[in-house]
Amino acid sequence: MKRLLFALLCLFSLTARANEPIATTADATESENFNPGEMILHHIGDSHEWHWFTLGETHYTTHLPVIAYRAGSGLTVFSSHELAEGKVHEGLKLDHEHLVSTDGAKVYDFSITKNVATLMIASALMLVVFITVARGYAKRGTAAPRGMQSFFEPLIIFIRDEVAKKSIGPKYERYMPYLLTVFFFIWFSNMLGLLPGGANLTGNIAVTLTLAVITLLITLFSSNKNYWAHIFATPGVPKALLPIMIPVELIGIVVKPFSLMVRLFANITAGHIVTLSFISLIFIFRNIGIAPVSLAFGLFIFFLELLVAILQAYIFTLLTAMYIGGAVEDHHDADLQIGGGDGAAPAQAH
């Protein structure tokens, strides 16, 4: 196990290496026939290597570790450089970035891909940021915040006061760690994806699916009897309509996190596709006159994505808080359709 961990660490810490392909007639023809669709899908998709940029005929790439398990061969760990350009290594090869076995055996891929590496970077960045902020509070107490603490404090207070308290009510403190984690993880991941050579982490449907499933599980495990009573015995609905309403309400439980998953995935992916499409126009028309227009629109969409990056994090967090608030609200709040924090006065009147 120690040897495996050491090998993994060495592979992951590989420095970017330059690959110099041999110039051939096929390569020249391929460069002339620019394929924008292939280029865009390559940039927004996941990969077993991290391609930073190309300068002339030199590709600057960081090769990430491949970790594969096969029932007959056990665990295999090696650099993705061994699979570059269609090569086969230890009976494994890449088929459109999917790791497959040459003998048709089932392969369980646990590789550190570009998206996984970005997830690790985003997680490490969050740890550094919030450990620093926590130490600032421990050191200065109620004194005026400084440095990094002064930047993140308004955002944390905003999530607490405008999202958690208003959507969940008096029980908001229990869910603040998750809401803050979701908000800053999505925001940091979105911003990392806008860096040159960055990965499209939140544009990966598996990532947004995982976040949505976690939200669903927290909502279901936090729900009280009133939440389920409104599903199986909706107030104000005639009993004759319950056979129709109950399936609709049950479907709604799944549709809510599904909408979270699709919204985040679609908005982030669409932004990258539009930006890359404008840049592709330069290579499609091969006209210097189109370049300023293409770059202008590309820059406009890029700056718009900066806004979308934090906006999508806010929307995901807000809807998550609303779903949780609907599951934990008290009986009188549910009947009057008001938030948990404002339920005391109406309850007395009732």
Coordinates of all heavy atoms in Angstrom, one line a residue, residues 262-316:
V262 N -29.7 19.6 -13.8 CA -29.7 20.1 -15.2 C -29.4 21.5 -15.3 O -28.7 22.0 -16.2 CB -31.1 19.7 -15.8 CG1 -31.2 20.3 -17.2 CG2 -31.3 18.2 -15.9
R263 N -30.0 22.4 -14.4 CA -29.8 23.8 -14.5 C -28.3 24.2 -14.4 O -27.8 24.9 -15.3 CB -30.6 24.5 -13.4 CG -30.4 26.1 -13.5 CD -31.1 26.7 -12.3 NE -32.6 26.6 -12.4 CZ -33.3 25.8 -11.7 NH1 -32.7 25.0 -10.8 NH2 -34.6 25.7 -11.8
L264 N -27.6 23.6 -13.4 CA -26.2 24.0 -13.3 C -25.4 23.4 -14.4 O -24.5 24.1 -15.0 CB -25.7 23.4 -11.9 CG -24.2 23.6 -11.6 CD1 -23.9 25.1 -11.6 CD2 -23.9 22.9 -10.3
F265 N -25.6 22.2 -14.8 CA -24.9 21.6 -15.9 C -25.1 22.3 -17.2 O -24.1 22.7 -17.9 CB -25.3 20.1 -16.1 CG -25.0 19.5 -17.4 CD1 -23.7 19.1 -17.7 CD2 -26.0 19.3 -18.3 CE1 -23.4 18.5 -18.9 CE2 -25.7 18.7 -19.6 CZ -24.4 18.4 -19.8
A266 N -26.3 22.6 -17.5 CA -26.6 23.3 -18.8 C -26.1 24.7 -18.9 O -25.6 25.1 -19.9 CB -28.2 23.3 -19.0
N267 N -26.2 25.5 -17.8 CA -25.8 26.9 -17.9 C -24.3 27.0 -18.0 O -23.8 27.8 -18.8 CB -26.3 27.6 -16.6 CG -27.7 28.1 -16.7 OD1 -28.0 29.1 -17.3 ND2 -28.6 27.3 -16.2
I268 N -23.5 26.2 -17.3 CA -22.1 26.3 -17.3 C -21.6 25.7 -18.6 O -20.7 26.3 -19.3 CB -21.5 25.5 -16.1 CG1 -21.9 26.1 -14.8 CG2 -20.0 25.5 -16.2 CD1 -21.6 27.5 -14.6
T269 N -22.1 24.6 -19.1 CA -21.7 24.0 -20.4 C -22.0 24.9 -21.5 O -21.2 25.1 -22.4 CB -22.3 22.7 -20.6 OG1 -22.0 21.8 -19.5 CG2 -21.8 22.0 -21.9
A270 N -23.2 25.5 -21.5 CA -23.6 26.4 -22.6 C -22.7 27.6 -22.7 O -22.3 28.1 -23.8 CB -25.0 26.9 -22.4
G271 N -22.3 28.2 -21.6 CA -21.4 29.3 -21.6 C -20.0 29.0 -22.2 O -19.5 29.8 -23.0
H272 N -19.5 27.8 -21.9 CA -18.2 27.4 -22.5 C -18.4 27.2 -24.0 O -17.5 27.6 -24.8 CB -17.7 26.1 -21.8 CG -17.2 26.4 -20.4 ND1 -16.2 27.2 -20.1 CD2 -17.6 25.8 -19.3 CE1 -16.0 27.2 -18.8 NE2 -16.8 26.3 -18.3
I273 N -19.5 26.6 -24.4 CA -19.7 26.3 -25.8 C -19.8 27.6 -26.6 O -19.2 27.7 -27.7 CB -20.9 25.4 -26.0 CG1 -20.7 24.0 -25.4 CG2 -21.3 25.3 -27.4 CD1 -21.9 23.1 -25.5
V274 N -20.6 28.5 -26.1 CA -20.8 29.8 -26.8 C -19.4 30.5 -27.0 O -19.1 31.0 -28.1 CB -21.8 30.7 -26.1 CG1 -21.9 32.0 -26.8 CG2 -23.2 30.0 -26.2
T275 N -18.6 30.6 -25.9 CA -17.4 31.3 -25.9 C -16.4 30.6 -27.0 O -15.8 31.3 -27.8 CB -16.7 31.3 -24.6 OG1 -17.6 31.9 -23.6 CG2 -15.4 32.0 -24.6
L276 N -16.3 29.3 -26.9 CA -15.5 28.6 -27.9 C -16.0 28.7 -29.3 O -15.2 28.7 -30.2 CB -15.4 27.1 -27.4 CG -14.6 26.9 -26.1 CD1 -14.8 25.4 -25.7 CD2 -13.1 27.2 -26.3
S277 N -17.3 28.8 -29.4 CA -17.9 28.9 -30.8 C -17.5 30.2 -31.4 O -17.1 30.3 -32.6 CB -19.4 28.8 -30.7 OG -19.8 27.6 -30.3
F278 N -17.5 31.3 -30.7 CA -17.1 32.6 -31.2 C -15.6 32.6 -31.6 O -15.2 33.1 -32.6 CB -17.3 33.7 -30.2 CG -18.7 34.2 -30.2 CD1 -19.5 34.1 -29.0 CD2 -19.3 34.7 -31.3 CE1 -20.8 34.5 -29.0 CE2 -20.6 35.2 -31.3 CZ -21.4 35.1 -30.2
I279 N -14.8 32.0 -30.7 CA -13.3 31.9 -31.0 C -13.1 31.0 -32.3 O -12.2 31.3 -33.1 CB -12.6 31.3 -29.9 CG1 -12.7 32.3 -28.7 CG2 -11.1 31.0 -30.2 CD1 -12.0 31.7 -27.4
S280 N -13.9 30.0 -32.5 CA -13.8 29.1 -33.6 C -14.1 29.8 -34.9 O -13.6 29.4 -36.0 CB -14.7 27.9 -33.5 OG -14.4 27.1 -32.4
L281 N -14.8 30.9 -34.9 CA -15.2 31.6 -36.1 C -13.9 32.1 -36.8 O -13.9 32.2 -38.1 CB -16.1 32.7 -35.8 CG -17.5 32.4 -35.4 CD1 -18.3 33.6 -35.1 CD2 -18.2 31.6 -36.5
I282 N -12.9 32.5 -36.0 CA -11.6 33.0 -36.6 C -11.0 31.9 -37.5 O -10.5 32.2 -38.6 CB -10.7 33.4 -35.5 CG1 -11.3 34.5 -34.6 CG2 -9.4 33.9 -36.0 CD1 -10.5 34.8 -33.4
F283 N -11.0 30.7 -37.0 CA -10.4 29.6 -37.7 C -11.2 29.0 -38.9 O -10.8 28.4 -39.8 CB -10.0 28.5 -36.8 CG -9.1 28.9 -35.7 CD1 -9.6 29.3 -34.4 CD2 -7.7 29.0 -35.9 CE1 -8.8 29.7 -33.4 CE2 -6.9 29.5 -34.8 CZ -7.4 29.8 -33.6
I284 N -12.5 29.2 -38.7 CA -13.5 28.7 -39.8 C -13.4 29.7 -41.0 O -13.2 29.2 -42.1 CB -14.9 28.7 -39.3 CG1 -15.0 27.6 -38.2 CG2 -15.9 28.4 -40.4 CD1 -16.4 27.5 -37.5
F285 N -13.5 31.0 -40.8 CA -13.5 31.9 -41.9 C -12.1 32.3 -42.4 O -11.9 32.7 -43.5 CB -14.2 33.2 -41.5 CG -15.7 33.0 -41.4 CD1 -16.3 32.8 -40.1 CD2 -16.5 33.0 -42.5 CE1 -17.6 32.7 -40.0 CE2 -17.9 32.8 -42.3 CZ -18.5 32.6 -41.1
R286 N -11.1 32.2 -41.5 CA -9.7 32.5 -41.8 C -9.6 33.9 -42.4 O -8.9 34.1 -43.4 CB -9.1 31.5 -42.7 CG -9.0 30.1 -42.1 CD -8.3 29.1 -43.0 NE -8.2 27.8 -42.4 CZ -7.5 26.8 -42.9 NH1 -6.9 27.0 -44.1 NH2 -7.5 25.6 -42.3
N287 N -10.3 34.8 -41.8 CA -10.3 36.2 -42.2 C -10.0 37.1 -41.1 O -10.6 37.0 -40.0 CB -11.7 36.5 -42.8 CG -11.7 37.8 -43.5 OD1 -11.0 38.8 -43.2 ND2 -12.6 37.9 -44.5
I288 N -9.0 38.0 -41.3 CA -8.6 38.9 -40.2 C -9.7 39.9 -39.8 O -9.7 40.4 -38.7 CB -7.3 39.6 -40.6 CG1 -6.7 40.3 -39.3 CG2 -7.6 40.6 -41.7 CD1 -5.3 40.8 -39.6
G289 N -10.6 40.1 -40.8 CA -11.7 41.0 -40.5 C -12.7 40.5 -39.5 O -13.3 41.2 -38.8
I290 N -12.8 39.1 -39.4 CA -13.8 38.5 -38.5 C -13.2 38.4 -37.1 O -13.9 38.3 -36.1 CB -14.2 37.1 -39.0 CG1 -15.5 36.7 -38.3 CG2 -13.1 36.1 -38.7 CD1 -16.7 37.5 -38.8
A291 N -11.9 38.5 -36.9 CA -11.2 38.3 -35.6 C -11.7 39.3 -34.6 O -12.0 38.9 -33.5 CB -9.7 38.3 -35.8
P292 N -11.7 40.6 -34.9 CA -12.1 41.6 -33.8 C -13.5 41.4 -33.3 O -13.8 41.4 -32.1 CB -11.9 43.0 -34.5 CG -11.0 42.7 -35.6 CD -11.2 41.3 -36.1
V293 N -14.4 41.1 -34.3 CA -15.8 40.8 -33.9 C -15.9 39.6 -33.1 O -16.6 39.5 -32.1 CB -16.7 40.7 -35.2 CG1 -18.1 40.4 -34.9 CG2 -16.6 42.0 -36.0
S294 N -15.2 38.5 -33.5 CA -15.3 37.2 -32.8 C -14.8 37.4 -31.4 O -15.4 36.9 -30.4 CB -14.5 36.2 -33.6 OG -14.5 35.0 -32.9
L295 N -13.6 38.1 -31.3 CA -13.0 38.2 -29.9 C -13.9 39.1 -29.1 O -14.0 38.9 -27.8 CB -11.6 38.8 -30.1 CG -10.5 37.9 -30.7 CD1 -9.2 38.7 -30.9 CD2 -10.3 36.7 -29.8
A296 N -14.5 40.1 -29.6 CA -15.4 41.0 -28.9 C -16.5 40.3 -28.2 O -16.8 40.4 -27.0 CB -15.9 42.2 -29.7
F297 N -17.2 39.5 -29.1 CA -18.3 38.7 -28.6 C -17.9 37.6 -27.6 O -18.5 37.3 -26.6 CB -19.1 38.1 -29.7 CG -20.1 39.0 -30.4 CD1 -19.8 39.6 -31.6 CD2 -21.3 39.3 -29.8 CE1 -20.6 40.5 -32.2 CE2 -22.2 40.1 -30.4 CZ -21.9 40.7 -31.6
G298 N -16.7 37.0 -27.9 CA -16.1 36.0 -27.0 C -15.8 36.6 -25.6 O -16.1 36.0 -24.6
L299 N -15.2 37.8 -25.6 CA -14.9 38.5 -24.3 C -16.2 38.8 -23.6 O -16.3 38.7 -22.3 CB -14.1 39.7 -24.6 CG -12.6 39.5 -24.9 CD1 -11.9 40.8 -25.3 CD2 -11.9 38.8 -23.7
F300 N -17.2 39.3 -24.3 CA -18.5 39.6 -23.7 C -19.1 38.4 -23.0 O -19.6 38.5 -21.8 CB -19.5 40.2 -24.7 CG -20.9 40.4 -24.2 CD1 -21.2 41.4 -23.4 CD2 -21.9 39.5 -24.5 CE1 -22.4 41.6 -22.9 CE2 -23.2 39.6 -24.0 CZ -23.4 40.7 -23.2
I301 N -19.1 37.3 -23.7 CA -19.7 36.0 -23.1 C -18.8 35.6 -21.9 O -19.3 35.1 -20.9 CB -19.8 34.9 -24.1 CG1 -20.7 35.3 -25.3 CG2 -20.2 33.6 -23.5 CD1 -22.1 35.6 -24.8
F302 N -17.5 35.8 -22.0 CA -16.6 35.4 -20.9 C -16.9 36.2 -19.7 O -17.0 35.6 -18.6 CB -15.1 35.6 -21.3 CG -14.1 35.3 -20.2 CD1 -13.8 34.0 -19.9 CD2 -13.6 36.4 -19.5 CE1 -12.9 33.8 -18.9 CE2 -12.7 36.1 -18.5 CZ -12.3 34.8 -18.2
F303 N -17.0 37.5 -19.8 CA -17.4 38.3 -18.6 C -18.8 38.0 -18.1 O -19.0 38.1 -16.9 CB -17.2 39.8 -19.0 CG -15.8 40.3 -19.1 CD1 -15.2 40.6 -20.3 CD2 -15.0 40.3 -17.9 CE1 -13.9 41.0 -20.4 CE2 -13.6 40.7 -18.0 CZ -13.1 41.1 -19.2
L304 N -19.7 37.7 -19.0 CA -21.0 37.3 -18.6 C -20.9 36.0 -17.8 O -21.6 35.8 -16.8 CB -21.9 37.1 -19.8 CG -23.4 36.8 -19.5 CD1 -24.0 38.0 -18.8 CD2 -24.1 36.5 -20.8
E305 N -20.0 35.1 -18.2 CA -19.8 33.8 -17.4 C -19.3 34.1 -16.0 O -19.5 33.3 -15.1 CB -18.8 32.9 -18.2 CG -19.5 32.1 -19.3 CD -18.6 31.0 -19.7 OE1 -17.7 31.2 -20.6 OE2 -18.8 29.9 -19.2
L306 N -18.5 35.2 -15.8 CA -18.1 35.5 -14.5 C -19.2 35.8 -13.6 O -19.2 35.4 -12.4 CB -17.1 36.7 -14.5 CG -15.8 36.5 -15.2 CD1 -15.0 37.9 -15.3 CD2 -14.9 35.5 -14.5
L307 N -20.3 36.4 -14.1 CA -21.5 36.7 -13.4 C -22.3 35.4 -13.2 O -22.8 35.1 -12.1 CB -22.3 37.7 -14.1 CG -23.7 38.0 -13.5 CD1 -23.6 38.6 -12.1 CD2 -24.5 39.0 -14.4
V308 N -22.4 34.6 -14.2 CA -23.1 33.3 -14.1 C -22.5 32.4 -13.1 O -23.1 31.6 -12.5 CB -23.2 32.7 -15.5 CG1 -23.7 31.3 -15.5 CG2 -24.0 33.5 -16.5
A309 N -21.1 32.4 -13.0 CA -20.4 31.6 -12.1 C -20.9 31.7 -10.7 O -21.2 30.7 -10.0 CB -18.9 31.8 -12.1
I310 N -21.1 32.9 -10.2 CA -21.6 33.1 -8.8 C -23.1 33.1 -8.8 O -23.7 32.6 -7.7 CB -21.0 34.5 -8.2 CG1 -21.3 34.5 -6.7 CG2 -21.6 35.7 -9.0 CD1 -20.6 35.7 -6.0
L311 N -23.7 33.4 -9.9 CA -25.2 33.4 -9.9 C -25.7 32.0 -9.8 O -26.7 31.7 -9.1 CB -25.7 34.1 -11.2 CG -27.2 34.2 -11.3 CD1 -27.8 35.0 -10.2 CD2 -27.6 34.8 -12.7
Q312 N -25.1 31.0 -10.5 CA -25.5 29.6 -10.5 C -25.2 29.0 -9.1 O -26.0 28.2 -8.6 CB -24.8 28.8 -11.6 CG -25.3 29.1 -13.0 CD -26.8 28.8 -13.1 OE1 -27.3 27.8 -12.6 NE2 -27.5 29.8 -13.7
A313 N -24.1 29.4 -8.5 CA -23.9 29.0 -7.1 C -24.9 29.4 -6.2 O -25.4 28.7 -5.3 CB -22.5 29.4 -6.7
Y314 N -25.4 30.7 -6.3 CA -26.4 31.3 -5.5 C -27.7 30.6 -5.7 O -28.4 30.2 -4.8 CB -26.5 32.8 -5.7 CG -27.8 33.4 -5.2 CD1 -28.0 33.5 -3.8 CD2 -28.8 33.8 -6.0 CE1 -29.1 34.1 -3.3 CE2 -30.0 34.4 -5.5 CZ -30.1 34.5 -4.2 OH -31.3 35.0 -3.7
I315 N -28.1 30.4 -7.0 CA -29.4 29.7 -7.3 C -29.4 28.3 -6.7 O -30.4 27.9 -6.2 CB -29.6 29.7 -8.8 CG1 -29.9 31.2 -9.3 CG2 -30.8 28.9 -9.2 CD1 -30.0 31.3 -10.8
F316 N -28.4 27.5 -6.9 CA -28.3 26.2 -6.4 C -28.5 26.2 -4.9 O -29.2 25.4 -4.3 CB -27.0 25.5 -6.8 CG -27.0 24.0 -6.7 CD1 -27.1 23.2 -7.8 CD2 -26.8 23.4 -5.4 CE1 -27.1 21.8 -7.6 CE2 -26.8 22.1 -5.2 CZ -27.0 21.2 -6.3

